[in-house]
């Protein structure tokens, strides 16, 4: 660090700044006493007191890493900011905003700041570790959320917004990347670097406007683009964008570049995909209103009350929101007229599916290595290296060469096809026509029939779960992803039965 920049740092974060509600501090009923009596014992805490783990994320100006307190064993996330870089990029102000706003927050839906410290090169912010990462990852994994999940997460986000507004803070950059999920799959809003603490104006009234251009293109409100001013209502605009995205799988305003996205926002140029649930559509329309004063939620406490009373939130128990278990994550299935709902009893899969839902993709299964049974292939190889295939199988392979010659380029030499068929691989409201091939290796691959290229493979493991939704629809849940297939021939149950049979044959004892 250059000597010229050094004096700035103590102004930013002066040594240790300890919150009285830090779990490292023994709690007592008096918070004043708490912080003063424990201050000396934590005074020297620094990065050396933590065992640093894996990188959880990279921001524009920070790296966030998992950390364990060497003394207490407690787990945290440490946001590490490079002092030189922060000063060079003139972001000192934003570091302070983040620290000051987070310091004011004490809510189950907002990431907790425990304390801050620094060493020669870095500023460190010790945060609650949200173990399940970003909401965006789950939207991508499922393609979209069903109405029940969407209602649950929208309610939690709204409750967090209500709390921060009550504290006089506008977030100004709400988006699925900044909404983290804890181990219970409850939300934790993060990234207050662009937040605004509303002050008092000269007349002593709360200044409800915040004058600086911040945010992320897709979620930025029209008032920020047109008048360069954000207000509490700007967070409700972002809520409308997130609600839309949870169901549609993509944000409402997305142009080819930032400028085009902005143009769409200021002209309210967005459409709903067919099948978007009417009650959610109505709420989105009332949130995505150009005039911030007319947006549902605007107008202080009464506005928020009206927003919470919208029929979309019918049935939400606001008083026990944080005690309720998160619903099983399922993608949204746009209704098809005249389609008979053939719901199966999925209770036997429930436990496995819920494990799948919260898996953050770090399990060894994700590598696919568990998928293959090495002995299956070994058993075909003789000691001289040539293949020894039992006559019955050899006959079937010969037959396959004649009947399914076109699929041979996608198969291994001794692999037998169990089932093929056209499917629509769906992601939210969008789908792609593919050919699905199930083999006895086992493998489940999908192919672009026109281009004759393999587009993907679903990795097998004992944690794969296949679920029949109705005549035409079924899910394949893997720890990393949920695949949503539509069988145009209405034989989804055949697929499910065949895949289940293969699962039982390969992992019978483990299921
Ligand atoms: P940006 O460039 O968006 O402004 P930033 O520098 O402010 O980013 P954050 O958004 O706070 O950094 O963090 C970057 C990423 O690190 C997050 O998107 C998230 O994936 C991860 N992360 C941050 N805080 C936590 C946390 N408390 N627990 C788990 N992961 C976290």
């Amino acid at each position: 660090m250059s000597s010229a920049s050094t004096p700035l740092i103590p102004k930013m974060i002066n040594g240790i700044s300890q919150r009285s509600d830090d779990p490292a501090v023994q709690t007592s009923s008096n918070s004043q006493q708490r912080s003063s009596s424990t201050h000396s014992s934590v005074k020297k805490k620094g990065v050396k007191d933590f065992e640093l783990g894996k990188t959880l994320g990279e921001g524009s100006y920070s790296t966030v890493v998992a950390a364990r307190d060497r003394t207490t064993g407690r787990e945290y996330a440490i946001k590490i900011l490079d002092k030189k870089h922060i000063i060079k990029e003139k972001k000192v102000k934003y570091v302070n905003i983040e620290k000051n706003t987070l310091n004011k927050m004490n809510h189950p839906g907002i990431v907790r700041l425990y304390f801050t410290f620094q060493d020669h090169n870095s500023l460190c912010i010790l945060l609650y570790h949200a173990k399940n990462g970003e909401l965006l990852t789950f939207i991508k994994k499922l393609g979209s959320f069903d109405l029940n999940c969407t209602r649950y997460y929208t309610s939690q986000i709204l409750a967090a917004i209500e709390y921060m507004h009550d504290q006089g803070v506008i977030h100004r950059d709400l988006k699925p990347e900044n909404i983290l999920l804890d181990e219970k799959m409850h939300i934790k809003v993060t990234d207050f670097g662009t937040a605004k603490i509303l002050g008092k104006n000269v007349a002593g009234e709360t200044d409800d406007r915040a004058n600086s251009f911040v945010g992320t293109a897709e979620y930025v409100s029209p008032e920020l683009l047109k008048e360069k001013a954000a207000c509490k209502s700007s967070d409700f605009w972002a809520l409308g964008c997130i609600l839309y995205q949870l169901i549609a799988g993509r944000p409402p305003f997305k142009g080819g570049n930032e400028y085009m996205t902005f143009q769409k926002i200021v002209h309210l140029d967005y459409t709903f995909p067919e099948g978007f649930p009417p009650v959610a559509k109505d709420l989105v329309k009332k949130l995505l209103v150009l005039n911030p004063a007319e947006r549902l939620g605007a107008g202080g406490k009464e506005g928020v009350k009206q927003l919470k009373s919208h029929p979309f939130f019918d049935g939400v128990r606001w008083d026990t929101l944080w005690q309720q278990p998160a619903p099983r994550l399922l993608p949204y299935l746009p209704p098809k007229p005249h389609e008979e709902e053939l719901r199966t009893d999925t209770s036997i899969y429930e436990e496995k599916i819920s494990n799948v839902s919260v898996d953050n993709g770090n399990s060894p299964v994700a590598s696919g290595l568990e998928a293959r049974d090495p002995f299956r292939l070994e058993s075909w190889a003789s000691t001289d290296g040539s293949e020894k295939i039992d006559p019955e199988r050899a006959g079937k392979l010969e037959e396959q060469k004649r009947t399914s010659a076109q699929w041979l380029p996608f198969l291994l030499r001794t692999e037998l096809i169990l089932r093929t068929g056209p499917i629509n691989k769906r992601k939210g409201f969008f789908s792609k026509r593919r050919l699905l091939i199930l083999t006895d290796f086992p493998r489940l691959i999908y192919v672009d029939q026109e281009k004759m290229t393999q587009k993907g493979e679903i990795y097998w493991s004992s944690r794969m779960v296949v679920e029949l939704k109705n005549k035409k629809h079924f899910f394949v849940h893997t720890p990393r992803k949920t695949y949503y297939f539509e069988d145009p021939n209405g034989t989804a149950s055949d697929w499910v039965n065949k895949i289940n049979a293969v699962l039982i044959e390969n992992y019978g004892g483990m299921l």
Side-chain angles (χ1 to χ4, degrees):
M1 161 160 323
S2 74
S3 53
S5 58
T6 311
L8 278 172
I9 298 303
K11 279 191 199 154
M12 290 196 281
I13 298 180
N14 283 317
I16 305 268
S17 159
Q18 177 82 42
R19 254 177 90 131
S20 55
D21 49 7
D22 174 6
V25 178
Q26 294 302 306
T27 53
S28 87
S29 55
N30 181 318
S31 66
Q32 282 289 60
Q33 256 179 19
R34 251 185 328 200
S35 69
S36 58
S37 65
T38 55
H39 191 71
S40 57
S41 62
V42 293
K43 215 170 165 184
K44 297 254 153 45
K45 234 182 204 354
V47 77
K48 63 180 183 335
D49 296 299
F50 296 91
E51 200 181 300
L52 298 185
K54 67 173 182 176
T55 299
L56 301 172
E58 302 267 358
S60 324
Y61 303 99
S62 68
T63 302
V64 182
V65 293
R68 184 190 296 271
D69 187 315
R70 291 183 196 277
T71 318
T72 64
R74 284 207 173 86
E75 292 183 26
Y76 298 91
I78 302 190
K79 186 162 177 170
I80 304 170
L81 303 110
D82 181 65
K83 287 179 180 176
K84 263 191 206 163
H85 187 57
I86 296 286
I87 291 159
K88 192 165 146 254
E89 299 292 319
K90 301 191 171 49
K91 298 292 170 192
V92 173
K93 182 178 149 199
Y94 297 105
V95 179
N96 274 326
I97 290 174
E98 177 151 35
K99 181 184 168 244
N100 295 337
T101 46
L102 273 176
N103 246 329
K104 284 167 75 78
M105 301 290 146
N106 184 2
H107 186 267
I110 296 173
V111 88
R112 181 74 71 92
L113 179 152
Y114 292 116
F115 58 91
T116 54
F117 53 86
Q118 61 177 302
D119 65 15
H120 187 68
N121 300 314
S122 317
L123 299 170
C124 299
I125 305 179
L126 199 77
L127 299 166
Y128 174 91
H129 181 182
K131 295 266 174 58
N132 273 308
E134 299 174 13
L135 179 63
L136 183 68
T137 310
F138 288 85
I139 301 176
K140 283 186 178 160
K141 179 176 151 171
L142 273 92
S144 64
F145 281 11
D146 73 359
L147 205 51
N148 187 34
C149 297
T150 302
R151 184 178 296 109
Y152 182 84
Y153 285 108
T154 310
S155 317
Q156 290 205 339
I157 299 165
L158 173 53
I161 294 175
E162 184 183 15
Y163 171 82
M164 61 180 99
H165 287 184
D166 281 352
Q167 306 304 305
V169 170
I170 315 176
H171 188 285
R172 303 199 294 183
D173 196 16
L174 287 168
K175 55 179 176 177
E177 290 99 310
N178 286 340
I179 295 166
L180 305 179
L181 295 160
D182 65 15
E183 61 256 32
K184 291 190 201 148
M185 290 296 280
H186 291 174
I187 67 142
K188 297 274 180 201
V189 175
T190 190
D191 198 357
F192 282 73
T194 45
K196 173 81 185 172
I197 302 181
L198 296 166
K200 304 267 181 204
N201 63 21
V202 275
E205 291 154 349
T206 303
D207 174 11
D208 201 27
R209 313 282 287 180
N211 301 302
S212 47
F213 183 86
V214 290
T216 302
E218 284 82 12
Y219 308 86
V220 113
S221 59
E223 60 272 19
L224 205 74
L225 294 172
K226 288 202 268 197
E227 297 159 36
K228 307 240 180 303
C231 51
K232 286 180 178 174
S233 188
S234 311
D235 284 342
F236 295 128
W237 173 276
L239 182 73
C241 294
I242 297 168
L243 164 56
Y244 178 102
Q245 185 171 0
L246 288 172
I247 293 177
R250 57 176 166 79
F253 306 100
K254 190 144 184 70
N257 55 39
E258 246 181 30
Y259 175 76
M260 283 156 81
T261 301
F262 293 159
Q263 287 303 304
K264 282 177 182 275
I265 292 170
V266 295
H267 293 108
L268 204 63
D269 175 9
Y270 76 104
T271 52
F272 290 98
E274 208 183 312
F276 201 96
V279 70
K281 194 175 189 171
D282 187 73
L283 179 52
V284 170
K285 279 185 183 168
K286 287 178 170 139
L287 290 168
L288 299 184
V289 169
L290 290 177
N291 181 348
E294 287 171 14
R295 216 166 278 155
L296 193 56
K301 284 203 176 304
E302 191 47 40
V304 177
K305 206 169 144 196
Q306 281 173 15
L307 172 50
K308 287 165 104 177
S309 309
H310 187 277
F312 173 80
F313 294 113
D314 277 359
V316 171
R317 293 280 318 273
W318 295 99
D319 50 340
T320 57
L321 205 55
W322 306 97
Q323 283 80 54
Q324 292 159 28
R328 195 181 98 184
L329 287 187
L330 281 177
Y332 181 63
L333 288 169
K336 292 266 162 87
H338 316 304
E339 201 162 73
E340 195 194 342
E341 271 287 297
L342 275 183
R343 286 210 66 95
T344 47
D345 176 13
T346 56
S347 53
I348 52 165
Y349 308 129
E350 290 288 319
E351 196 189 333
K352 292 179 103 196
I353 290 174
S354 62
N355 286 340
V356 166
S357 302
V358 298
D359 195 300
N360 58 12
N362 296 328
S363 91
V365 176
S367 71
L369 294 178
E370 198 197 320
R372 310 274 152 72
D373 172 359
F375 302 108
R376 271 182 91 89
L377 271 193
E378 242 170 52
S379 63
W380 303 114
S382 67
T383 43
D384 64 1
S386 65
E387 281 178 319
K388 194 170 77 189
I389 301 175
D390 79 64
E392 195 192 332
R393 188 175 182 85
K396 283 184 186 168
L397 286 166
E398 276 308 306
E399 170 77 10
Q400 181 168 273
K401 273 188 200 159
R402 282 192 301 278
T403 56
S404 308
Q406 70 273 41
W407 311 130
L408 294 182
F410 305 113
L411 302 181
L412 302 166
R413 253 165 31 95
T414 57
E415 191 172 24
L416 278 172
I417 293 176
L418 299 175
R419 184 180 161 90
T420 61
I423 44 104
N424 296 317
K425 184 173 168 289
R426 305 202 46 165
K427 214 165 183 208
F429 288 86
F430 311 98
S431 67
K432 287 190 177 136
R433 188 61 167 239
R434 299 282 179 251
L435 187 99
L436 190 62
I437 305 177
L438 172 68
T439 77
D440 69 346
F441 187 68
R443 285 198 311 151
L444 199 47
I445 57 181
Y446 45 94
V447 168
D448 180 333
Q449 244 177 301
E450 273 173 29
K451 295 187 182 145
M452 281 302 276
T453 50
Q454 182 175 323
K455 300 306 281 188
E457 175 169 352
I458 301 173
Y459 288 114
W460 285 81
S461 78
S462 59
R463 295 171 68 198
M464 181 196 268
V465 176
V466 57
E467 182 189 3
L468 181 67
K469 200 72 191 157
N470 54 40
K471 249 195 245 179
K472 285 193 173 174
H473 298 103
F474 65 103
F475 297 126
V476 179
H477 303 276
T478 71
R480 193 174 255 188
K481 213 170 159 182
T482 289
Y483 297 85
Y484 169 21
F485 293 122
E486 182 179 63
D487 178 347
N489 298 326
T491 58
S493 62
D494 287 357
W495 277 112
V496 169
N497 292 340
K498 277 255 159 50
I499 297 169
N500 268 333
V502 177
L503 275 167
I504 289 166
E505 197 190 324
N506 285 272
Y507 306 103
M510 298 159 76
L511 292 175

